Structures are given as structure tokens and as C-alpha cells.
Amino acid sequence: MRRLGASAKKGGGRPPRAVAQPTLEANLRHLLLEFTAGDPMRAGVLWTNLSLRELSRRLWALGTPASRRTIRRLLRKLNVGQRPARKKKTMGHHPDRNAPCEKIARLRREYEAAGDAVISIDTKKKELLGNFHRSGTTFTAETVETFDHDFGSAGQGKLIPHGVYDMMNHHAHIHLNTSHDISA
């Protein structure tokens, strides 16, 4: 085993791929020109629809092979990064947008005036039953071990929670079903 110490030379080892292949960055820029879109209203906001694997494959075909790690480093240098899409743009205002809510409010007032029950029903996210990973933490003396994959076939079924709320009498009922069949 080689010992590092005073005899080790600074800068030893293989040079970075971008240094060893000067045409690598130029080929990547060429690919990005062809497979990059952007925001016309904001200069510099760019994205590519090619994965790191696909970029690597295309660079190999151009004679400049590079790993996904090297490509990620070069993309960061070129200020092209992974960013999630954000829901910010409105689809506009529909003239009948409030009509369903107004109808529900009208029916609610009519039912309350007649003394009839008004209920609100809500369902929550289905959860797999079994030894599956859950977000969050717990205080324990030992590590809690769970399955490494959340396959429904490995569990004991699904829990389907939903609640019914009587808005007139302020009573709530919570149902924890394990079947899609409402009667069950």
C-alpha cells in the first residue's frame, strides 16, 4: 500500500476528463444547442430534454466519451441544472368557475333551513399496511428496519381513510377501510 506523505506529488493522478479531452466541452455545447430549450423572456434560463445517460451516449458517438458524473459537472459549469417544474401559470378565469360552489352553498342553506343533515365527506391518501417506510422520525432504543421497497404485494393490504362530518350537529365519524367497496 502506498503511503501519502512528503514524497507524494501535488496534482498527481489522472487529469479531469474535460482537460484530457479539450473537445469534450465543445461537443457538449454543440449537443446542448441542438437539444436545449429555454425561456424567451429570461435570458440564461435553459434546460435540456436529454438525460445524462443519453448525453453520455451521444458524446461517445462524437468521439469524446464521458461519464455521467463528468457530464453533470460540465452542465453545472455551463449553468444547466436539474430543476423541478413549478405550477405557477394560470390557465385563465372561466366564467362559470364559481357555479358549482355557489350551487353547493345554495343547497346547504336550503337543507339547513329544512332541518336536514348536511355532511362533508373527505378521503385521504391510501396507505399500505405492513412493514413499510414512513416519513418522519421516532424515539426508539433500536433502529427501526423496514422493507427497502414499498411493494403492495409484500403488505397486508391498504388502509383507505375517510371522514364524514355532520356540519349541523358538529359530529364527526372517521372510517378506516381496507376495501375499495364502500359498503365494506
Side-chain angles (χ1 to χ4, degrees), residues 6-34:
S7 63
K9 295 180 184 178
K10 185 177 178 179
R14 204 176 336 167
R17 180 68 72 171
V19 173
Q21 292 180 318
T23 56
L24 174 62
E25 189 173 330
N27 284 347
L28 181 61
R29 284 179 187 271
H30 174 73
L31 282 175
L32 291 177
L33 280 176
E34 193 174 338

Side-chain angles (χ1 to χ4, degrees), residues 20-62:
Q21 292 180 318
T23 56
L24 174 62
E25 189 173 330
N27 284 347
L28 181 61
R29 284 179 187 271
H30 174 73
L31 282 175
L32 291 177
L33 280 176
E34 193 174 338
F35 293 97
T36 300
D39 188 341
M41 303 305 288
R42 297 186 301 167
V45 178
L46 303 172
W47 57 86
T48 181
N49 61 344
L50 297 179
S51 66
L52 293 175
R53 178 173 281 139
E54 183 62 21
L55 284 168
S56 178
R57 190 182 67 74
R58 288 174 185 259
L59 285 170
W60 183 277
L62 291 173

